[in-house]
Amino acid sequence: MTGRATAKPVPIDLTRHTELIAGAREFLRVWASEDGPVTCFVNPVSIGPDPAAFGLAMVDCIRHAAAAYARAVDIPEKAALARIWQGLDAERAAPTTDAVEATPPVAAKRGDPIVSLVPKQDPRR
């Protein structure tokens, strides 16, 4: 990952979007380490039992990300979307990290559906 990262999560301020997300349920949180792996927390209960719903949500997210990149770095949205798809295809073809469940699961309670996936640590580090 490139860009400016911090040692702790910095929440995205959603106060201006309260009405937009009213009644919605969070199903994903993602953090990126500078020049390193991504850590994800997924709650599939929020989007339903069919994993295809997660796929649909990810495509929506990718399209929103293309719009955000277009505004943030002043490139055409179509170019941003094409570049995102290139990165996605590259990662699918040759994953850069193996995901493993966090041990112990973070804030896990009996029956907690949230799965935290963290990158497998390189034993050479």
Coordinates of all heavy atoms in Angstrom, one line a residue, residues 8-102:
K8 N -2.5 3.8 14.2 CA -3.8 3.4 14.8 C -4.9 3.8 13.8 O -4.7 4.7 12.9 CB -4.0 4.1 16.1 CG -4.1 5.6 16.1 CD -4.3 6.1 17.5 CE -4.4 7.7 17.4 NZ -4.7 8.3 18.6
P9 N -6.0 3.1 13.9 CA -7.1 3.4 12.9 C -7.6 4.9 13.1 O -7.7 5.4 14.2 CB -8.2 2.5 13.3 CG -7.6 1.4 14.1 CD -6.3 2.0 14.8
V10 N -7.8 5.5 12.0 CA -8.4 6.9 12.0 C -9.8 6.8 11.4 O -9.9 6.5 10.2 CB -7.5 7.9 11.2 CG1 -8.1 9.2 11.2 CG2 -6.1 7.9 11.8
P11 N -10.8 6.9 12.2 CA -12.1 6.7 11.6 C -12.5 7.8 10.6 O -12.1 8.9 10.6 CB -13.1 6.9 12.8 CG -12.2 7.5 13.9 CD -10.8 7.3 13.6
I12 N -13.2 7.3 9.6 CA -13.8 8.2 8.6 C -15.0 8.9 9.2 O -15.9 8.2 9.7 CB -14.2 7.4 7.3 CG1 -12.9 6.8 6.7 CG2 -14.9 8.3 6.3 CD1 -13.2 5.8 5.6
D13 N -15.0 10.2 9.1 CA -16.1 11.0 9.7 C -17.3 10.8 8.9 O -17.4 11.3 7.7 CB -15.7 12.4 9.9 CG -16.7 13.3 10.6 OD1 -17.8 12.7 11.0 OD2 -16.5 14.5 10.7
L14 N -18.4 10.2 9.4 CA -19.6 10.0 8.7 C -20.7 10.9 9.2 O -21.9 10.7 8.8 CB -20.0 8.5 8.9 CG -19.1 7.5 8.3 CD1 -19.5 6.1 8.6 CD2 -18.8 7.7 6.9
T15 N -20.4 11.9 10.0 CA -21.5 12.7 10.6 C -22.3 13.4 9.5 O -23.5 13.6 9.7 CB -20.9 13.7 11.6 OG1 -19.9 14.5 11.0 CG2 -20.4 13.0 12.9
R16 N -21.7 13.8 8.4 CA -22.5 14.4 7.4 C -23.4 13.4 6.6 O -24.2 13.9 5.8 CB -21.5 15.1 6.3 CG -20.7 16.2 6.9 CD -19.8 16.8 5.9 NE -19.1 15.8 5.1 CZ -18.7 16.0 3.9 NH1 -19.0 17.0 3.2 NH2 -18.1 15.0 3.2
H17 N -23.2 12.2 6.8 CA -23.9 11.1 6.1 C -24.9 10.3 6.9 O -25.3 9.3 6.5 CB -22.9 10.2 5.4 CG -21.9 10.9 4.6 ND1 -22.2 11.6 3.4 CD2 -20.6 11.2 4.9 CE1 -21.1 12.2 3.0 NE2 -20.1 11.9 3.8
T18 N -25.2 10.8 8.1 CA -26.1 10.1 9.0 C -27.4 9.7 8.4 O -27.8 8.6 8.5 CB -26.4 11.0 10.3 OG1 -25.1 11.3 10.9 CG2 -27.2 10.2 11.3
E19 N -28.0 10.6 7.7 CA -29.3 10.3 7.0 C -29.1 9.2 6.0 O -30.0 8.3 5.8 CB -29.9 11.6 6.4 CG -31.3 11.4 6.0 CD -31.9 12.7 5.5 OE1 -32.0 13.6 6.3 OE2 -32.3 12.8 4.3
L20 N -28.0 9.3 5.2 CA -27.8 8.3 4.2 C -27.7 6.9 4.7 O -28.1 5.9 4.1 CB -26.5 8.7 3.4 CG -26.1 7.8 2.2 CD1 -27.1 7.9 1.1 CD2 -24.7 8.3 1.7
I21 N -27.0 6.7 5.8 CA -26.8 5.4 6.4 C -27.8 5.0 7.4 O -27.7 3.9 8.0 CB -25.4 5.2 6.9 CG1 -25.1 6.2 8.0 CG2 -24.4 5.3 5.8 CD1 -23.7 6.0 8.7
A22 N -28.8 5.8 7.7 CA -29.9 5.5 8.7 C -30.5 4.1 8.3 O -30.9 3.9 7.2 CB -30.9 6.6 8.7
G23 N -30.6 3.2 9.3 CA -31.2 1.9 9.0 C -30.2 0.9 8.4 O -30.6 -0.3 8.3
A24 N -29.0 1.3 8.0 CA -28.1 0.4 7.4 C -27.3 -0.3 8.4 O -27.2 0.1 9.6 CB -27.1 1.2 6.4
R25 N -26.7 -1.4 8.0 CA -25.8 -2.2 9.0 C -24.4 -2.3 8.4 O -24.2 -2.6 7.2 CB -26.4 -3.6 9.1 CG -27.8 -3.5 9.8 CD -28.4 -4.9 9.9 NE -28.4 -5.6 8.6 CZ -29.4 -5.8 7.9 NH1 -30.6 -5.3 8.3 NH2 -29.4 -6.4 6.7
E26 N -23.4 -2.1 9.3 CA -22.0 -2.2 8.9 C -21.7 -3.7 8.7 O -22.1 -4.5 9.5 CB -21.2 -1.6 9.9 CG -19.7 -1.7 9.6 CD -18.9 -1.0 10.7 OE1 -19.0 -1.3 11.9 OE2 -18.1 -0.1 10.3
F27 N -21.0 -4.1 7.6 CA -20.6 -5.4 7.4 C -19.1 -5.6 7.2 O -18.6 -6.7 7.1 CB -21.4 -6.1 6.3 CG -21.0 -5.5 4.9 CD1 -20.1 -6.1 4.1 CD2 -21.7 -4.4 4.4 CE1 -19.8 -5.6 2.9 CE2 -21.4 -3.9 3.2 CZ -20.4 -4.5 2.4
L28 N -18.4 -4.5 7.0 CA -17.0 -4.6 6.7 C -16.2 -3.4 7.2 O -16.6 -2.3 7.1 CB -16.8 -4.7 5.2 CG -15.4 -4.6 4.6 CD1 -14.6 -5.9 5.0 CD2 -15.4 -4.5 3.1
R29 N -15.0 -3.7 7.8 CA -14.0 -2.7 8.2 C -12.7 -3.1 7.6 O -12.4 -4.3 7.7 CB -13.9 -2.5 9.7 CG -15.1 -1.8 10.3 CD -14.8 -1.4 11.7 NE -16.0 -0.8 12.3 CZ -16.0 -0.1 13.4 NH1 -14.9 0.1 14.0 NH2 -17.1 0.5 13.8
V30 N -11.9 -2.2 7.1 CA -10.7 -2.6 6.4 C -9.6 -1.5 6.8 O -9.9 -0.3 6.8 CB -10.9 -2.6 4.9 CG1 -9.6 -3.0 4.2 CG2 -12.0 -3.5 4.5
W31 N -8.4 -2.0 7.1 CA -7.3 -1.2 7.4 C -6.1 -1.6 6.5 O -5.9 -2.8 6.3 CB -6.9 -1.3 8.8 CG -7.7 -0.5 9.8 CD1 -7.6 0.8 10.1 CD2 -8.9 -1.0 10.4 NE1 -8.6 1.2 11.0 CE2 -9.4 0.1 11.2 CE3 -9.6 -2.2 10.4 CZ2 -10.6 0.0 11.9 CZ3 -10.8 -2.3 11.1 CH2 -11.2 -1.2 11.9
A32 N -5.4 -0.6 6.0 CA -4.2 -0.9 5.2 C -2.9 -0.4 6.0 O -2.9 0.7 6.5 CB -4.3 -0.2 3.9
S33 N -1.9 -1.3 6.0 CA -0.6 -0.9 6.5 C 0.2 -0.3 5.4 O 0.2 -0.8 4.3 CB 0.1 -2.1 7.1 OG -0.7 -2.7 8.1
E34 N 1.0 0.7 5.8 CA 1.8 1.3 4.7 C 2.8 0.3 4.2 O 3.5 -0.4 4.9 CB 2.6 2.5 5.3 CG 3.3 3.3 4.3 CD 3.6 4.7 4.7 OE1 3.1 5.2 5.7 OE2 4.4 5.3 3.9
D35 N 2.8 0.2 2.8 CA 3.6 -0.8 2.1 C 3.5 -2.2 2.7 O 4.4 -3.0 2.6 CB 5.1 -0.4 2.2 CG 5.4 0.9 1.5 OD1 4.7 1.2 0.4 OD2 6.1 1.8 2.0
G36 N 2.3 -2.5 3.2 CA 2.1 -3.8 3.8 C 0.7 -4.3 3.5 O 0.0 -3.9 2.6
P37 N 0.3 -5.3 4.3 CA -1.0 -6.0 4.1 C -2.2 -5.2 4.6 O -2.1 -4.1 5.2 CB -0.8 -7.2 5.0 CG 0.1 -6.8 6.1 CD 1.0 -5.8 5.5
V38 N -3.4 -5.7 4.2 CA -4.7 -5.2 4.6 C -5.3 -6.1 5.6 O -5.2 -7.3 5.5 CB -5.6 -5.1 3.3 CG1 -7.0 -4.8 3.7 CG2 -5.0 -4.1 2.4
T39 N -5.9 -5.6 6.6 CA -6.6 -6.3 7.7 C -8.1 -6.0 7.6 O -8.5 -4.9 7.5 CB -6.1 -6.0 9.1 OG1 -4.7 -6.2 9.1 CG2 -6.8 -6.8 10.1
C40 N -8.9 -7.1 7.5 CA -10.4 -6.9 7.3 C -11.1 -7.6 8.5 O -10.7 -8.6 9.0 CB -10.8 -7.6 6.1 SG -9.9 -7.1 4.6
F41 N -12.3 -7.0 8.8 CA -13.2 -7.6 9.8 C -14.5 -7.6 9.0 O -15.0 -6.6 8.5 CB -13.3 -6.7 11.0 CG -12.1 -6.6 11.8 CD1 -11.1 -5.7 11.5 CD2 -11.9 -7.5 12.9 CE1 -9.9 -5.7 12.3 CE2 -10.7 -7.5 13.6 CZ -9.7 -6.6 13.3
V42 N -15.1 -8.8 8.9 CA -16.3 -9.0 8.1 C -17.4 -9.6 9.0 O -17.2 -10.6 9.8 CB -16.0 -10.0 7.0 CG1 -17.3 -10.3 6.2 CG2 -14.9 -9.5 6.1
N43 N -18.6 -9.0 8.9 CA -19.8 -9.5 9.6 C -20.8 -9.9 8.5 O -21.6 -9.1 8.1 CB -20.4 -8.5 10.5 CG -21.6 -9.0 11.3 OD1 -22.0 -10.1 11.0 ND2 -22.1 -8.2 12.2
P44 N -20.8 -11.2 8.1 CA -21.7 -11.6 7.0 C -23.2 -11.6 7.4 O -24.0 -11.5 6.5 CB -21.3 -13.0 6.7 CG -20.5 -13.5 7.9 CD -20.0 -12.3 8.5
V45 N -23.5 -11.6 8.7 CA -24.9 -11.5 9.1 C -25.6 -10.3 8.6 O -26.8 -10.3 8.2 CB -25.0 -11.7 10.6 CG1 -26.4 -11.4 11.1 CG2 -24.5 -13.0 11.1
S46 N -24.8 -9.2 8.5 CA -25.4 -7.9 8.1 C -25.9 -7.9 6.7 O -26.7 -7.0 6.3 CB -24.3 -6.8 8.3 OG -24.0 -6.6 9.6
I47 N -25.3 -8.7 5.8 CA -25.7 -8.7 4.4 C -26.4 -9.9 3.9 O -26.9 -10.0 2.8 CB -24.5 -8.3 3.5 CG1 -23.4 -9.3 3.6 CG2 -24.1 -6.9 3.6 CD1 -22.2 -9.1 2.7
G48 N -26.5 -10.9 4.8 CA -27.3 -12.1 4.4 C -26.5 -13.4 4.3 O -25.2 -13.3 4.2
P49 N -27.1 -14.5 4.2 CA -26.4 -15.8 4.1 C -25.8 -16.2 2.8 O -24.9 -17.1 2.8 CB -27.5 -16.8 4.5 CG -28.8 -16.2 4.0 CD -28.6 -14.7 4.2
D50 N -26.1 -15.5 1.7 CA -25.5 -15.8 0.4 C -24.2 -15.0 0.2 O -24.3 -13.8 0.1 CB -26.5 -15.6 -0.7 CG -26.0 -16.0 -2.1 OD1 -24.9 -16.4 -2.2 OD2 -26.8 -15.9 -3.0
P51 N -23.1 -15.7 0.1 CA -21.8 -14.9 -0.1 C -21.9 -14.1 -1.4 O -21.1 -13.1 -1.5 CB -20.8 -16.0 -0.3 CG -21.4 -17.2 0.5 CD -22.9 -17.1 0.2
A52 N -22.7 -14.3 -2.3 CA -22.8 -13.5 -3.5 C -23.2 -12.1 -3.2 O -22.8 -11.1 -3.8 CB -23.9 -14.1 -4.5
A53 N -23.9 -11.9 -2.1 CA -24.3 -10.5 -1.6 C -23.0 -9.7 -1.3 O -23.0 -8.5 -1.5 CB -25.2 -10.6 -0.4
F54 N -22.0 -10.4 -0.7 CA -20.8 -9.7 -0.4 C -20.1 -9.3 -1.7 O -19.6 -8.2 -1.8 CB -19.9 -10.7 0.4 CG -18.6 -10.0 0.9 CD1 -18.6 -9.2 2.0 CD2 -17.4 -10.1 0.2 CE1 -17.5 -8.6 2.5 CE2 -16.3 -9.5 0.6 CZ -16.3 -8.7 1.7
G55 N -20.1 -10.2 -2.7 CA -19.5 -9.9 -4.0 C -20.2 -8.7 -4.6 O -19.5 -7.8 -5.2
L56 N -21.5 -8.6 -4.6 CA -22.3 -7.5 -5.1 C -21.9 -6.2 -4.4 O -21.7 -5.1 -5.0 CB -23.8 -7.7 -5.0 CG -24.3 -8.8 -5.9 CD1 -25.8 -9.1 -5.5 CD2 -24.2 -8.4 -7.4
A57 N -21.8 -6.3 -3.1 CA -21.4 -5.1 -2.3 C -20.0 -4.7 -2.6 O -19.7 -3.5 -2.7 CB -21.5 -5.4 -0.8
M58 N -19.1 -5.6 -2.9 CA -17.7 -5.2 -3.2 C -17.6 -4.5 -4.6 O -16.9 -3.5 -4.7 CB -16.8 -6.5 -3.2 CG -16.5 -7.1 -1.9 SD -15.7 -5.9 -0.7 CE -17.1 -5.1 0.1
V59 N -18.4 -4.9 -5.5 CA -18.5 -4.2 -6.8 C -19.0 -2.8 -6.6 O -18.5 -1.9 -7.2 CB -19.3 -5.0 -7.9 CG1 -19.5 -4.2 -9.1 CG2 -18.5 -6.3 -8.2
D60 N -20.1 -2.7 -5.8 CA -20.6 -1.3 -5.5 C -19.5 -0.5 -4.9 O -19.3 0.7 -5.2 CB -21.8 -1.4 -4.6 CG -23.0 -1.9 -5.2 OD1 -23.1 -1.9 -6.5 OD2 -24.0 -2.2 -4.5
C61 N -18.7 -1.1 -3.9 CA -17.7 -0.4 -3.3 C -16.6 0.0 -4.2 O -16.1 1.2 -4.2 CB -17.1 -1.3 -2.2 SG -15.8 -0.5 -1.2
I62 N -16.2 -0.8 -5.2 CA -15.2 -0.5 -6.2 C -15.6 0.7 -7.0 O -14.9 1.6 -7.3 CB -14.9 -1.8 -7.0 CG1 -14.1 -2.8 -6.2 CG2 -14.2 -1.4 -8.3 CD1 -14.0 -4.1 -6.7
R63 N -16.9 0.7 -7.4 CA -17.4 1.8 -8.2 C -17.4 3.1 -7.5 O -17.0 4.2 -8.0 CB -18.8 1.5 -8.8 CG -18.8 0.3 -9.8 CD -20.1 0.1 -10.4 NE -20.1 -1.1 -11.2 CZ -19.6 -1.2 -12.4 NH1 -19.0 -0.2 -13.0 NH2 -19.6 -2.4 -13.1
H64 N -17.7 3.0 -6.2 CA -17.7 4.2 -5.3 C -16.2 4.7 -5.2 O -15.9 5.9 -5.2 CB -18.3 4.0 -3.9 CG -19.8 3.8 -4.0 ND1 -20.6 4.8 -4.3 CD2 -20.5 2.7 -3.7 CE1 -21.9 4.4 -4.3 NE2 -21.8 3.1 -3.9
A65 N -15.3 3.7 -5.0 CA -13.9 4.0 -4.9 C -13.3 4.7 -6.1 O -12.5 5.6 -6.0 CB -13.1 2.8 -4.6
A66 N -13.8 4.3 -7.3 CA -13.3 4.9 -8.5 C -13.7 6.4 -8.6 O -13.0 7.2 -9.0 CB -13.9 4.1 -9.7
A67 N -15.0 6.6 -8.1 CA -15.4 8.0 -8.1 C -14.6 8.8 -7.1 O -14.2 10.0 -7.4 CB -16.9 8.1 -7.7
A68 N -14.3 8.2 -6.0 CA -13.5 8.9 -4.9 C -12.1 9.2 -5.4 O -11.6 10.3 -5.3 CB -13.5 8.1 -3.6
Y69 N -11.5 8.2 -6.0 CA -10.1 8.4 -6.6 C -10.1 9.5 -7.7 O -9.2 10.3 -7.8 CB -9.5 7.1 -7.2 CG -8.8 6.3 -6.2 CD1 -9.3 5.2 -5.5 CD2 -7.5 6.6 -5.9 CE1 -8.6 4.5 -4.6 CE2 -6.7 5.9 -4.9 CZ -7.3 4.8 -4.3 OH -6.6 4.1 -3.4
A70 N -11.1 9.5 -8.5 CA -11.2 10.5 -9.6 C -11.2 11.9 -9.0 O -10.5 12.8 -9.5 CB -12.5 10.2 -10.4
R71 N -12.0 12.1 -8.0 CA -12.0 13.4 -7.3 C -10.7 13.7 -6.5 O -10.2 14.8 -6.6 CB -13.2 13.5 -6.4 CG -14.5 13.7 -7.1 CD -15.6 14.0 -6.2 NE -15.9 13.0 -5.2 CZ -16.7 12.0 -5.4 NH1 -17.3 11.8 -6.5 NH2 -16.9 11.1 -4.4
A72 N -10.2 12.7 -5.9 CA -9.0 12.9 -5.0 C -7.7 13.1 -5.7 O -6.9 14.0 -5.3 CB -8.9 11.7 -4.0
V73 N -7.5 12.4 -6.9 CA -6.3 12.6 -7.6 C -6.4 13.1 -9.0 O -5.5 13.1 -9.8 CB -5.5 11.2 -7.6 CG1 -5.1 10.8 -6.2 CG2 -6.3 10.1 -8.3
D74 N -7.6 13.6 -9.3 CA -7.9 14.3 -10.5 C -7.6 13.5 -11.8 O -6.8 13.9 -12.6 CB -7.2 15.7 -10.5 CG -7.7 16.6 -11.6 OD1 -8.9 16.5 -12.0 OD2 -6.9 17.4 -12.2
I75 N -8.2 12.3 -11.8 CA -8.1 11.5 -13.0 C -9.5 11.1 -13.4 O -10.4 11.2 -12.6 CB -7.3 10.2 -12.7 CG1 -7.9 9.3 -11.6 CG2 -5.8 10.5 -12.4 CD1 -7.2 8.0 -11.4
P76 N -9.7 10.7 -14.6 CA -11.1 10.3 -15.1 C -11.5 9.1 -14.3 O -10.8 8.2 -14.0 CB -10.9 10.0 -16.5 CG -9.6 10.7 -17.0 CD -8.8 10.7 -15.8
E77 N -12.8 9.1 -13.9 CA -13.4 8.0 -13.1 C -13.2 6.7 -13.9 O -12.9 5.7 -13.3 CB -14.9 8.3 -12.9 CG -15.5 7.3 -11.9 CD -16.9 7.7 -11.5 OE1 -17.2 8.9 -11.4 OE2 -17.7 6.8 -11.3
K78 N -13.3 6.7 -15.2 CA -13.2 5.5 -16.0 C -11.7 4.9 -15.8 O -11.5 3.7 -15.7 CB -13.5 5.8 -17.4 CG -13.6 4.6 -18.3 CD -14.1 4.9 -19.7 CE -14.3 3.7 -20.5 NZ -14.9 4.0 -21.9
A79 N -10.8 5.8 -15.8 CA -9.4 5.4 -15.7 C -9.1 4.9 -14.3 O -8.4 3.9 -14.1 CB -8.4 6.6 -15.9
A80 N -9.7 5.5 -13.3 CA -9.6 5.0 -11.9 C -10.2 3.6 -11.8 O -9.6 2.7 -11.2 CB -10.3 6.0 -10.9
L81 N -11.4 3.4 -12.4 CA -12.0 2.1 -12.3 C -11.2 1.1 -13.0 O -11.0 0.0 -12.4 CB -13.4 2.2 -12.9 CG -14.3 0.9 -12.9 CD1 -14.5 0.5 -11.4 CD2 -15.6 1.2 -13.6
A82 N -10.6 1.4 -14.1 CA -9.8 0.4 -14.9 C -8.6 0.0 -14.0 O -8.2 -1.2 -14.0 CB -9.4 1.0 -16.2
R83 N -8.0 1.0 -13.4 CA -6.8 0.7 -12.6 C -7.2 -0.1 -11.3 O -6.4 -1.0 -11.0 CB -6.2 2.0 -12.1 CG -4.9 1.9 -11.5 CD -3.8 1.5 -12.5 NE -2.5 1.4 -11.8 CZ -1.7 0.4 -11.9 NH1 -2.0 -0.6 -12.6 NH2 -0.6 0.4 -11.2
I84 N -8.3 0.1 -10.7 CA -8.8 -0.7 -9.6 C -9.0 -2.1 -10.0 O -8.6 -3.1 -9.4 CB -10.1 -0.1 -9.0 CG1 -9.8 1.2 -8.3 CG2 -10.7 -1.1 -8.0 CD1 -11.0 2.0 -7.8
W85 N -9.6 -2.3 -11.2 CA -9.8 -3.7 -11.7 C -8.5 -4.4 -12.0 O -8.3 -5.6 -11.7 CB -10.7 -3.7 -13.0 CG -12.1 -3.4 -12.7 CD1 -12.9 -2.4 -13.3 CD2 -13.0 -4.1 -11.8 NE1 -14.2 -2.5 -12.9 CE2 -14.3 -3.5 -12.0 CE3 -12.9 -5.1 -10.9 CZ2 -15.4 -3.9 -11.2 CZ3 -14.0 -5.6 -10.2 CH2 -15.2 -4.9 -10.3
Q86 N -7.5 -3.6 -12.5 CA -6.2 -4.2 -12.7 C -5.6 -4.7 -11.4 O -5.0 -5.8 -11.3 CB -5.2 -3.1 -13.3 CG -5.5 -2.8 -14.8 CD -4.6 -1.7 -15.3 OE1 -4.0 -1.0 -14.5 NE2 -4.6 -1.6 -16.6
G87 N -5.7 -3.9 -10.3 CA -5.2 -4.3 -9.0 C -5.9 -5.5 -8.5 O -5.3 -6.5 -7.9
L88 N -7.2 -5.5 -8.6 CA -8.0 -6.6 -8.2 C -7.7 -7.9 -8.9 O -7.5 -9.0 -8.3 CB -9.5 -6.3 -8.4 CG -10.5 -7.3 -7.8 CD1 -10.6 -7.1 -6.3 CD2 -11.8 -7.3 -8.5
D89 N -7.6 -7.8 -10.2 CA -7.2 -9.0 -11.0 C -5.8 -9.5 -10.7 O -5.6 -10.7 -10.6 CB -7.3 -8.7 -12.5 CG -8.7 -8.5 -13.0 OD1 -9.7 -8.9 -12.3 OD2 -8.9 -7.9 -14.1
A90 N -4.9 -8.6 -10.4 CA -3.5 -9.0 -10.1 C -3.5 -9.7 -8.7 O -2.8 -10.8 -8.6 CB -2.6 -7.8 -10.0
E91 N -4.3 -9.2 -7.8 CA -4.3 -9.9 -6.4 C -5.0 -11.2 -6.5 O -4.6 -12.1 -5.8 CB -5.0 -8.9 -5.4 CG -5.0 -9.5 -4.0 CD -3.7 -9.6 -3.3 OE1 -2.7 -9.0 -3.8 OE2 -3.6 -10.3 -2.3
R92 N -6.0 -11.3 -7.3 CA -6.7 -12.6 -7.5 C -5.8 -13.6 -8.1 O -5.8 -14.8 -7.7 CB -8.0 -12.4 -8.3 CG -9.1 -11.8 -7.6 CD -10.4 -11.7 -8.4 NE -10.9 -13.1 -8.6 CZ -11.7 -13.4 -9.5 NH1 -12.2 -12.6 -10.4 NH2 -12.2 -14.7 -9.6
A93 N -5.0 -13.2 -9.1 CA -4.1 -14.1 -9.8 C -3.0 -14.6 -8.9 O -2.5 -15.7 -9.0 CB -3.6 -13.5 -11.1
A94 N -2.5 -13.7 -8.1 CA -1.3 -14.0 -7.3 C -1.4 -13.3 -5.9 O -0.8 -12.2 -5.8 CB 0.0 -13.6 -8.0
P95 N -2.2 -13.8 -5.0 CA -2.3 -13.2 -3.7 C -1.0 -12.8 -3.0 O -0.1 -13.6 -3.0 CB -3.1 -14.2 -2.8 CG -3.8 -15.1 -3.8 CD -2.8 -15.1 -5.0
T96 N -0.9 -11.6 -2.5 CA 0.3 -11.1 -1.9 C 0.5 -11.6 -0.4 O 1.5 -11.5 0.1 CB 0.4 -9.6 -2.0 OG1 -0.7 -9.0 -1.4 CG2 0.6 -9.2 -3.4
T97 N -0.6 -12.0 0.2 CA -0.6 -12.5 1.6 C -1.6 -13.6 1.7 O -2.6 -13.6 1.0 CB -0.9 -11.4 2.6 OG1 -2.2 -10.8 2.3 CG2 0.1 -10.3 2.6
D98 N -1.4 -14.4 2.7 CA -2.4 -15.4 3.0 C -3.2 -14.9 4.2 O -2.6 -14.5 5.2 CB -1.7 -16.8 3.4 CG -1.1 -17.4 2.2 OD1 -1.6 -17.3 1.1 OD2 0.0 -18.1 2.4
A99 N -4.5 -14.9 4.2 CA -5.3 -14.5 5.3 C -5.5 -15.6 6.3 O -5.7 -16.8 5.9 CB -6.7 -14.0 4.8
V100 N -5.4 -15.3 7.5 CA -5.7 -16.2 8.6 C -6.6 -15.6 9.6 O -6.6 -14.4 9.8 CB -4.4 -16.7 9.3 CG1 -3.5 -17.5 8.3 CG2 -3.6 -15.6 9.9
E101 N -7.3 -16.4 10.4 CA -8.2 -15.8 11.4 C -7.3 -15.3 12.5 O -6.4 -15.9 12.9 CB -9.2 -16.8 11.9 CG -10.3 -16.2 12.8 CD -11.4 -17.2 13.0 OE1 -11.6 -18.2 12.3 OE2 -12.2 -16.8 13.9
A102 N -7.7 -14.1 13.1 CA -7.0 -13.6 14.2 C -7.0 -14.5 15.4 O -8.0 -15.1 15.7 CB -7.5 -12.2 14.6

